[in-house]
Amino acid sequence: FLPFGMHLYLLVIQTLQAGRKGLNNQEVEMTLNIFHFTSLRLLRTPSAQIPDHIPEDVKAARREILMTTQREIMRSQNHQKIGQQLPVILDSAVADEENVWVARTEADAPEVDSVVYVTGNEGPLSVGQIVPVEIVASQEYDLIASAVGPPR
């Protein structure tokens, strides 16, 4: 149970079920002060099976409030990472680009979280390698980095 009698269905991947019947706007606003989530109705979850979901326009409005807040948080957090050095794992080459890779940090899940776009000539790079990088720029959700050492 959460404080103030809020009864929310939360998933480990930090998804708020903003469409659950009985969740009022005040609870959504209070949730913003405690958690930072995106909303998503996932199939095959207990929340998806509950009848009488609230109207889609209310869900969409709540989702937009949460997504706007999340974008601001990510933009700020990513900007603070500029200049930091950290290891990333190379997931794939960027099509039609020479020596540009899609990577992720140890804290990021593939196909769920942000990515790190890596450039650099620190030896031959390939998928699966762990490469030390320096964050040189940030985008709304993603980071831009330059390889600063050879792959492990």
Side-chain angles (χ1 to χ4, degrees), residues 25-59:
N25 289 338
Q26 181 182 10
E27 290 173 325
V28 171
E29 289 175 8
M30 290 168 55
T31 302
L32 284 174
N33 293 325
I34 300 169
F35 300 103
H36 302 290
F37 294 95
T38 61
S39 67
L40 180 64
R41 183 175 178 188
L42 298 175
L43 299 177
R44 293 187 233 119
T45 63
S47 179
Q49 307 308 315
I50 296 172
D52 301 325
H53 277 260
I54 62 171
E56 291 299 320
D57 61 331
V58 175
K59 289 184 207 179

Side-chain angles (χ1 to χ4, degrees), residues 29-113:
E29 289 175 8
M30 290 168 55
T31 302
L32 284 174
N33 293 325
I34 300 169
F35 300 103
H36 302 290
F37 294 95
T38 61
S39 67
L40 180 64
R41 183 175 178 188
L42 298 175
L43 299 177
R44 293 187 233 119
T45 63
S47 179
Q49 307 308 315
I50 296 172
D52 301 325
H53 277 260
I54 62 171
E56 291 299 320
D57 61 331
V58 175
K59 289 184 207 179
R62 289 178 177 180
R63 184 178 193 281
E64 186 53 37
I65 291 167
L66 296 170
M67 290 301 293
T68 297
T69 301
Q70 183 63 29
R71 275 192 295 276
E72 292 168 5
I73 291 165
M74 289 300 297
R75 191 177 295 121
S76 174
Q77 288 179 348
N78 281 349
H79 185 74
Q80 292 174 11
K81 292 178 183 175
I82 294 174
Q84 291 184 11
Q85 291 188 6
L86 54 132
V88 298
I89 186 166
L90 303 179
D91 285 329
S92 63
V94 174
D96 301 322
E97 294 287 336
E98 187 174 331
N99 207 29
V100 180
W101 298 86
V102 176
R104 59 189 156 88
T105 70
E106 62 188 357
D108 296 318
E111 299 180 23
V112 174
D113 292 318

